[in-house]
Amino acid sequence: MIIELDLATPWEPPAPPPRRVRRWSAAVLVAVVALGVLVAAAPRRPDGPAFTIEHNVLNVAGAGGRIFVGRFHSVGSAPRLHAMRLSDGAELWSTQITPQQRLALATAQVVVLSTDWTEDASWSTIAVLDAATGGRLWHRDTVQVLGRAGGTMVVEDMAGADPDAEPPPGPDDDPAVNRAPVRRQRHYLGLDERTGATVWTLEVPAGSAAEAGWDQHTTYKLLHLAQLDPDGLLRLRDPATGAITGSHRLAWSGTIASFTVSKGRPGQVIVFPAGQRGAAIFDLDTGERLWGWSGKMYGGLLQCGPDRYCGGADTGLDNVDVRTGRIVWHIDRYAGILHIGARTMVLGSYIQPDAESASYVVVDAATGRLQRKIEGWRLIGARGEHLIVSHPGDRGGALLGVLDPGSGVVALFGKAPQWYGMPECTADEEHLACVAVGALSVWRLPPTRRP
C-alpha cells in the first residue's frame, strides 16, 4: 500500500509541499512528564477525524487540495478511484480501475496509476489521468517512474531489461565490497505530464552510471540527474528540460558501483568504486579527491546538515565533517535517521520493538548530545521541524499528537478509534491521512510554533 500526500500547489486554504497545518488555539501546557515528554492540554474541538472511509481502501495519494482513494466497494467488484476534496471529503469524481492498478503518484495536474507486470518487477505500465476530472490522458508501457520536475515526468524505459540479470550475492561474497551493477545501456525520458509527449531523451552507455537527486521534503520531486562515465567525466542535467547544467572532471577513473552528487556546502561527489571497500569523496568544482570513507555502500553517506554527512552501521551512527571526513560525533545503537531538523535529529535503532514500546532519541545535530528519549510514542509523520506521533489508547485505539523535538512537548489533537498494527500515514501542512485495516481517516492538524 502506498500513501503519498504532496500538496505542492495551493488550493482553497494555502498549502505547499509535504508539511502540516494550523487550526487550533494555543495549547495550555500541563506540567506532567508522560513517557519522557510533556503533553499539551486536550484539544478544544472534536477529537475525531474530519472525515473517514470505513472499508476496503487499497491506497491513497494526494496533491493540489485533492485526495485520491483507490478502493473496492464489494467482494468481486472492480475497484474504483475516487477524487475527494481534502478539506471536507466531498467527492469530486470517480472512475473504474483494474485490480492490478495502484496509485503511484499524484500532482496538482495528473494522477499516475501503475500496473506492475510482476510483484517485484522494476517496470510497469503507467496510465495518467486528469487530476481535476478523472479523464484518461495517456499511457506508456515498460517504464519505471523516477520522479517529476515542473510539468515533466521522468521515467526509465525498461524495454529489453532483464530483471534476473543481476544475481544475488553469493555466500562467499564480502558484503563490505562494492558490487558492480549489470552492464547495460540505460534509456531515460522526460515526458510532458499532461500529454505524454517526449520532452527530452538521455542515453547512458553501458559502463557509465546515472543518479537521480530528489528533494527530501517533496514526494517524487527531482532536483537533478547526473551521469558519471568511467573516465571521471560527470555531467549534471536539469530534469525538467534535459539540458546539461554543469560538466566536471573528477580525478578518478574505474568501474562505478554507485555515486551520489551532494550539492550542499561545498558541492561534492561520493563515488563507490566497484570491487573496493568504501567511497572516495571529490570536490565538485575542482574534481580533487578530498578524503575516503570506509563504510558500506548501502549504509550512507547521507547529507544530514549543511556541512555534515551521516553514515549508519550496526553499531550506531557517525556524523562526519564533509570537508575532512573527520567524525564529529558518534552515537551507539541509534543508526536510523527518522527526522532532520535545523537544530535536532531524531534517531531510531534498526530493530524497533512493537508500537507499545517504541523508543527514539532526540540529539543535538551539531554535537550529538542526547537531549531526550521518546518512549511509547510512535512516529507516523513529519511536519517541518515537528513530528506527528501516536500512542496506543484503549480498545485498539490511539492518541494522536504533534511533537516538538526541541522541547519534548506533544500537542494532542485527536483520537483514532481503530489503530491496529502500524497504519500508513502521511501529512501536509494542514492534514494527516492514515490507512489502518482498510479504513482511511483524515484529521485536521493543530498549529505549531515556527522555530
Side-chain angles (χ1 to χ4, degrees), residues 115-407:
T115 305
D116 292 339
W117 290 6
T118 64
E119 186 174 326
D120 59 350
S122 59
W123 57 78
S124 59
T125 294
I126 58 173
V128 181
L129 312 183
D130 187 305
T133 67
R136 308 272 169 154
L137 297 178
W138 56 277
H139 84 279
R140 194 165 190 121
D141 295 330
T142 326
V143 294
Q144 178 183 11
V145 178
L146 296 184
R148 56 190 175 85
T152 301
M153 186 182 306
V154 181
V155 303
E156 182 178 358
D157 187 343
M158 303 298 293
D162 182 359
D164 300 318
E166 187 162 352
D172 298 326
D173 289 347
D174 186 344
V177 174
N178 306 325
R179 299 185 70 210
V182 173
R183 286 177 54 90
R184 66 176 177 87
Q185 179 174 294
R186 297 179 183 272
H187 182 45
Y188 298 94
L189 302 170
L191 307 175
D192 184 286
E193 70 174 6
R194 292 286 304 177
T195 67
T198 300
V199 177
W200 56 263
T201 64
L202 171 62
E203 301 286 347
V204 178
S208 295
E211 183 251 0
W214 288 276
D215 186 329
Q216 295 181 6
H217 306 292
T218 307
T219 305
Y220 273 105
K221 182 179 179 180
L222 283 172
L223 299 178
H224 70 260
L225 290 174
Q227 176 183 335
L228 179 60
D229 297 332
D231 63 357
L233 177 62
L234 173 74
R235 281 163 286 191
L236 302 178
R237 295 178 184 270
D238 180 346
T241 65
I244 294 177
T245 59
S247 183
H248 310 267
R249 176 73 66 174
L250 306 185
W252 175 86
S253 63
T255 303
I256 308 155
S258 177
F259 78 100
T260 302
V261 177
S262 167
K263 300 183 75 174
R265 299 193 302 268
Q268 295 182 343
V269 185
I270 304 170
V271 179
F272 290 87
Q276 301 179 27
R277 295 170 181 263
I281 289 77
F282 298 86
D283 182 274
L284 181 61
D285 293 326
T286 67
E288 176 189 359
R289 186 185 188 278
L290 300 175
W291 50 277
W293 185 65
S294 59
K296 295 180 182 179
M297 182 166 65
Y298 297 112
L301 297 167
L302 166 72
Q303 186 107 28
C304 57
D307 56 358
R308 300 287 179 85
Y309 291 132
C310 288
D314 295 341
T315 58
L317 187 76
D318 289 334
N319 184 275
V320 180
D321 185 292
V322 301
R323 296 173 181 83
T324 65
R326 178 180 64 89
I327 296 177
V328 179
W329 55 262
H330 171 86
I331 186 170
D332 289 332
R333 179 186 173 192
Y334 294 95
I337 301 174
L338 303 173
H339 182 261
I340 300 173
R343 293 179 293 274
T344 62
M345 294 175 60
V346 181
L347 310 176
S349 64
Y350 278 140
I351 301 176
Q352 278 291 335
D354 58 29
E356 285 73 16
S357 56
S359 177
Y360 310 94
V361 293
V362 180
V363 301
D364 184 287
T367 66
R369 182 179 61 85
L370 179 65
Q371 294 187 343
R372 63 183 46 83
K373 282 191 174 183
I374 303 171
E375 302 279 2
W377 293 91
R378 174 70 73 174
L379 275 60
I380 58 176
R383 180 188 184 192
E385 291 293 306
H386 295 77
L387 304 173
I388 304 172
V389 295
S390 68
H391 185 275
D394 297 332
R395 300 175 182 176
L399 299 174
L400 305 176
V402 176
L403 167 68
D404 179 353
S407 67

